Amino acid sequence: MAMDRYVITGKQRLEGKIRVSGAKNSSLPLLAATILAEGTSTLLEIPELADIRHMIEVLEHLGCGVVRQNKAMYINAGGLESCEVDEGLMRQMRASNLILGPLLARYGRVKISRPGGCAIGSRPMDQHIKGLQQLGVKVKEKHGFIEAWTDQLLGADVYLDVPSVGATENIMMAAVLAKGITVIRNAAREPEIVDLQNLLNKMGAKVRGAGMDVLRIDGVEKLQPAEHTVIPDRIEAGTHMIAAVMTKGDVLIENVVPEHLEPVIAKIRQAGASVTLLDDSIRVQHRGKIRGVDLKTMPYPGFPTDMQPQFMAMLTCAEGTSIITETIFENRFQHVDELRRMGAQITVEGRTSIIRGIETLEGAFVEATDLRAGAALFLAALAAEEVTVLEKVDFIDRGYEDLEEKYRQLGAKLLRIYQEG
């Protein structure tokens, strides 16, 4: 499949305002949750991204009616007719597994193939399956398919071995219509979980504790459709913050929740940039030299793995040596070889990379291997001498809405070259 490329002329100082879109990682579970109610739910600020389009295709395949008007999306799950998802659709995106919980809650059965997505390491579904089994779901796996069914979901005490975001969301969505009380321990604490709780409660569910590591769900008989606005994308916001620093710029990032970005803000300040917090926006100004910092990715509220590649791009040009330890995904250093093509001095030992800062990166031919690696190379290109050609930018489209347009308005020089086919 031919993919588009960017041609980026670096060393342009970025200045002005940029607005963050709705969070991709919140939109996907919210879309899945609309299956739980008969009738039409309305979701606002859902970004236009490849992953969102895949999720809509999954919902339409199941028999939902989906209409988008500007920033509003209307999902009518009244006519749901299928509980099976086509293998081709599942392969395109791992988050399509989020329909497991809602379909079991509403229909008591589902058949899907194992999902696909970005190639940054194994994302096992055993936590999802184990949690659902504790709610009384029978599961059969064969030939790459997962079949699950139940006569009645029953509340249970579920302990997650690791605080998996997807598993927490799936179990929450199943438990809202289960009989009795479900408690999820060692639950993921991400803001996206809080966003899902808020939508479910608007639909008539009784969920509390999102944002903490113990969630309590009192099952209810049925849910009604609701209207909800998705939270802003914290990873997009963090990416713009780093762009401001790397281009020696001054950027006001609008539509953010500063609390969701605390570890990122702390590290950017530690590196020597100025970060000013306003109600729902953040101003980032470059102040002199960037200093090296050490960081370790951790589940929320720790430093997000989804910001690690972008941070590495910034640290390639920082003074001194930085050490990054990746504890979440085993293959999350695929951007290292590409950054090295631009002159970066990085050595990788297991899950740790050591970055020796250089004066400036040089333009080169590089390619995105996954979504966040693509974002890192995009940032590196903005800061590099001369021209960088970034191949396979369709990966970046999975998580960033209107990237070219937003960055042109800040003063970036970039051209997208569309591939035929």
Side-chain angles (χ1 to χ4, degrees), residues 125-141:
M125 282 195 59
D126 53 352
Q127 298 279 335
H128 299 245
I129 290 166
K130 215 165 77 174
L132 292 168
Q133 283 173 326
Q134 284 172 284
L135 300 180
V137 176
K138 307 262 192 307
V139 180
K140 189 168 74 182
E141 283 194 75

Side-chain angles (χ1 to χ4, degrees), residues 21-23 26 30 45 191-192 195 228-233 255 257 260:
S21 298
S26 219
L30 295 177
E45 295 288 333
E192 293 77 11
D195 209 22
H228 183 74
T229 303
V230 65
I231 55 172
D233 195 305
N255 190 33
V257 180
H260 294 170

Side-chain angles (χ1 to χ4, degrees), residues 96-392:
S96 42
N97 64 19
L98 290 171
I99 59 165
L100 268 178
L103 280 176
L104 284 165
R106 187 148 158 215
Y107 276 111
R109 60 182 207 85
V110 60
K111 182 180 176 185
I112 62 169
S113 73
R114 283 196 161 273
C118 268
I120 55 172
S122 65
R123 303 184 173 194
M125 282 195 59
D126 53 352
Q127 298 279 335
H128 299 245
I129 290 166
K130 215 165 77 174
L132 292 168
Q133 283 173 326
Q134 284 172 284
L135 300 180
V137 176
K138 307 262 192 307
V139 180
K140 189 168 74 182
E141 283 194 75
K142 61 176 190 192
H143 310 309
F145 281 89
I146 297 169
E147 251 184 282
W149 66 95
T150 180
D151 292 330
Q152 169 74 66
L153 288 167
L154 298 170
D157 205 314
V158 177
Y159 176 82
L160 296 177
D161 298 334
V162 292
S164 154
V165 176
T168 302
E169 290 165 343
N170 245 331
I171 298 160
M172 269 170 91
M173 290 189 280
V176 289
L177 293 176
K179 197 175 174 149
I181 294 168
T182 301
V183 177
I184 306 173
R185 301 183 193 279
N186 197 27
R189 296 165 59 183
E190 271 71 0
E192 293 77 11
I193 306 282
V194 181
D195 209 22
L196 178 59
Q197 169 179 284
N198 291 342
L199 170 65
L200 292 171
N201 287 346
K202 285 181 188 174
M203 294 167 83
K206 293 182 179 164
V207 186
R208 58 181 191 270
M212 310 289 202
D213 58 359
V214 178
L215 277 164
R216 181 190 158 108
I217 301 134
D218 291 76
V220 296
E221 282 286 301
K222 63 179 293 196
L223 297 181
Q224 301 83 41
E227 180 177 301
H228 183 74
T229 303
V230 65
I231 55 172
D233 195 305
R234 63 198 165 96
I235 305 303
E236 185 196 333
T239 304
H240 301 330
M241 291 172 75
I242 291 181
V245 177
M246 289 185 73
T247 61
K248 301 182 165 46
D250 180 354
V251 178
L252 182 70
I253 301 152
E254 299 180 319
N255 190 33
V256 288
V257 180
E259 291 75 25
H260 294 170
L261 284 155
E262 280 167 2
V264 175
I265 292 166
K267 285 291 171 193
I268 288 181
R269 282 179 171 156
Q270 200 185 326
S274 152
V275 182
T276 312
L277 306 183
L278 305 154
D279 286 346
D280 57 357
S281 53
I282 296 178
R283 184 179 180 186
V284 181
Q285 293 160 285
H286 179 272
R287 292 259 193 262
K289 288 267 191 206
I290 297 302
R291 298 187 293 272
V293 292
D294 296 347
L295 61 93
K296 184 178 188 175
T297 62
M298 296 293 277
Y300 192 87
F303 190 91
T305 177
D306 277 355
M307 281 301 303
Q308 177 263 104
Q310 300 89 308
F311 240 83
M312 187 185 286
M314 180 179 87
L315 295 173
T316 58
C317 298
E319 280 191 331
T321 299
S322 306
I323 297 171
I324 292 181
T325 310
E326 173 59 64
T327 72
I328 312 284
F329 288 122
E330 65 270 25
N331 297 358
R332 199 149 221 181
F333 286 143
Q334 297 188 24
H335 42 290
V336 169
D337 287 340
E338 302 300 303
L339 288 169
R340 282 193 192 125
R341 287 180 173 213
M342 300 177 76
Q345 295 192 354
I346 306 168
T347 39
V348 177
E349 291 168 19
R351 291 192 166 215
T352 301
S353 343
I354 299 151
I355 303 125
R356 290 179 185 78
I358 56 171
E359 269 297 299
T360 182
L361 295 166
E362 292 152 16
F365 274 83
V366 290
E367 71 173 46
T369 50
D370 61 74
L371 162 56
R372 305 303 172 189
L377 295 167
F378 176 79
L379 293 169
L382 293 174
E385 296 278 358
E386 309 205 333
V387 175
T388 298
V389 177
L390 173 50
E391 305 270 4
K392 299 195 175 171

